[in-house]
Structure formats: C-alpha cells, structure tokens
Amino acid sequence: MRRTIVAGNWKMNASKESVNKLILGILSGMSEVSSEVVVCAPFPYLSQVEALITHSQVKLGAQNLNANPAGAFTGEVSANMIKDFGARYVIVGHSERRSLYRETSSLVAEKVKAALDNDLTPLLCVGESLEQREAGETETVVAEQINAVIELVGIGAFRNIIIAYEPVWAIGTGKTASPEQAQAVHLFIRSLLGESNESIAQGTPILYGGSMNAGNANELISCADIDGGLIGGAALKAEDFLQICKAG
Ligand code: PEP
C-alpha cells in the first residue's frame, strides 16, 4: 500500500507575514489529515517554516537545488544547505525550471543524484507540453525524462524518489487533466519503472500536478495509480490546501 502525499509548491510567492498565516492555517487543520504533507518554500523562508512546523506532521521541502556540493556558484543553493534548515524534500525538474532555465534531463538527473547523496527526497517532476501531447509524444517525453534519471542513479534509487507527473499544459492554467488522462500516464510511468524492477514500480509514489484544487482532488487522488498531488496555486490558501490534503 503506497502512502498518499500532498506537497505544496509555493513557487516565488511568499512574505514573512503570508508564510506565518499560511502555516498557522495549515497546522490548525492537520488533526483531520492522514496524508503525508510537505510544503516547498522559497529558500529565504525555509528557516521560518522550519521553526513554525516543529513538532507537527508537516514536512519541509525546497523548490530547487544546485547539483554541486559547494564552491563558486554565486546565487546557488546546495543540498546540504537545504538540509541544514530541516528540509527533507526538494522539487527537481519542475517544468518552469526545464523551460525558463533550460534545465535538461541530464542536469535534472544530476540534481536528483545530489539530493539523494544528501538524504533529501527528490520530487522529480516530469510532463509533456500541449504540442507534445497533441503530437502523440506524451509517453516518449515522459520516458526520456525518467530514463535519464534511471541511467544516472539506477532503478534502486527510486525507493527514495517521488515522481510528480505534471502536464505542462495543466500547470497554472486552471485546465486540469481528466482523471482518465492522468491515470493513463501514471500507469505508463509505473509500467516503465516496472520494466526495470516491478516491486520498485509498485512502491514508488506518483503524484499528479496541474491545477489540482479542492474541487477536483478527490477524483484524481482516487485513481489507482495517483498517490497524491503536487499543488501550486491552491497551496497558497490554507483552507484549499487542507481540503486537498484530506482528499483521496
Ligand atoms: C506546480 O507548479 O507544480 C503546479 C502544479 O501548479 P498549479 O497547481 O498552480 O497548476
């Protein structure tokens, strides 16, 4: 039985005041939540969130990392620094990073490795653009993104990796994949992992991301191969985020 995980990706949205309000709001409803809950905060707020969630079930994640351990990489943040602030998760390969910052699948794989080497759990994001879906390339694209990671770290490493399937056309657009569309790709991803190791395939959590909200979360998370959600916009409102955390 795989665990249900709901992770919030705040992206570049935060202030000291809003972080306080959001975390206190989430904490106030956590007694009714049985899913694993993660909040992925922008780097400057990791320390604030770390302090606020002490002794709670809420876990902390970052949104990106540099693949190098230390050194002359101005403006970058390493896995160790993230861990230093109590984070246990890190989003890797989000589509915004792949498209806006030209992160290739091989760089994403290096980042996954750096996270794993430092005992951080990577939330590995994969997904196709609208053009790729319309061209019938969804499975090819997702397979290339996942195979790059398998090639570098090996299938065994997926015991400590969470995958998030995030169709690019559904992120921040209000246009959610239907449960059937999402389930089909989740099943494909599980079969792909299963070609290397069936028990790892069955144990790997695969989250859906892309305009998941309080209204559609239940239906999506109820699908056989959807093990939770990676939530952008709806993670910024405590009430909406809590509704999603209770789904499934
Ligand atoms: C995301 O950025 O990972 C995401 C899923 O965003 P949204 O929920 O806003 O579509």
Side-chain angles (χ1 to χ4, degrees):
M1 183 72 180
R2 290 181 296 271
R3 61 200 201 273
T4 302
I5 303 163
V6 177
N9 172 15
W10 296 352
K11 310 195 190 195
M12 201 171 72
N13 299 295
S15 67
K16 283 191 200 171
E17 195 184 337
S18 72
V19 165
N20 229 37
K21 191 166 164 229
L22 180 53
I23 293 292
L24 294 181
I26 293 170
L27 292 179
S28 72
M30 281 303 289
S31 58
E32 294 161 55
V33 171
S34 54
S35 319
E36 193 166 315
V37 174
V38 183
V39 289
C40 298
F43 295 133
Y45 298 92
L46 290 177
S47 175
Q48 187 186 348
V49 179
E50 180 190 25
L52 286 166
I53 62 173
T54 313
H55 307 308
S56 82
Q57 312 151 243
V58 177
K59 296 176 179 160
L60 180 58
Q63 299 173 13
N64 180 34
L65 79 167
N66 187 283
N68 295 284
F73 301 100
T74 303
E76 292 294 288
V77 171
S78 71
N80 251 325
M81 293 174 181
I82 292 168
K83 245 183 77 179
D84 220 9
F85 287 96
R88 291 288 167 268
Y89 299 80
V90 60
I91 297 173
V92 182
H94 190 279
S95 72
E96 286 150 19
R97 298 224 49 101
R98 290 182 192 260
S99 64
L100 300 173
Y101 302 99
R102 307 267 187 275
E103 292 195 6
T104 60
S105 291
S106 62
L107 176 62
V108 170
E110 294 286 350
K111 291 186 173 198
V112 167
K113 184 173 185 309
L116 291 170
D117 287 348
N118 290 280
D119 298 324
L120 287 172
T121 301
L123 280 150
L124 168 64
C125 299
V126 298
E128 81 289 359
S129 67
L130 185 59
E131 302 76 64
Q132 290 165 332
R133 170 162 284 262
E134 286 174 351
E137 293 168 3
T138 299
E139 294 188 356
T140 316
V141 169
V142 167
E144 183 272 331
Q145 293 169 335
I146 292 177
N147 283 333
V149 178
I150 297 178
E151 274 162 33
L152 187 69
V153 298
I155 188 71
F158 279 73
R159 284 196 187 86
N160 298 310
I161 293 174
I162 298 168
I163 294 177
Y165 168 57
E166 299 208 303
V168 179
W169 48 272
I171 296 178
T173 58
K175 202 172 157 193
T176 319
S178 68
E180 295 72 25
Q181 284 173 318
Q183 165 59 24
V185 182
H186 282 233
L187 182 59
F188 168 74
I189 292 171
R190 209 173 295 292
S191 316
L192 180 71
L193 299 177
E195 287 171 18
S196 300
N197 184 314
E198 187 52 32
S199 101
I200 285 179
Q202 291 308 323
T204 302
I206 308 176
L207 316 185
Y208 168 79
S211 300
M212 192 187 267
N213 57 42
N216 59 30
N218 239 319
E219 216 187 346
L220 284 157
I221 298 179
S222 301
C223 293
D225 290 285
I226 301 183
D227 305 313
L230 179 56
I231 321 299
L236 295 171
K237 289 193 195 124
E239 214 172 289
D240 292 2
F241 187 61
L242 279 168
Q243 275 305 116
I244 301 170
C245 293
K246 290 177 201 164

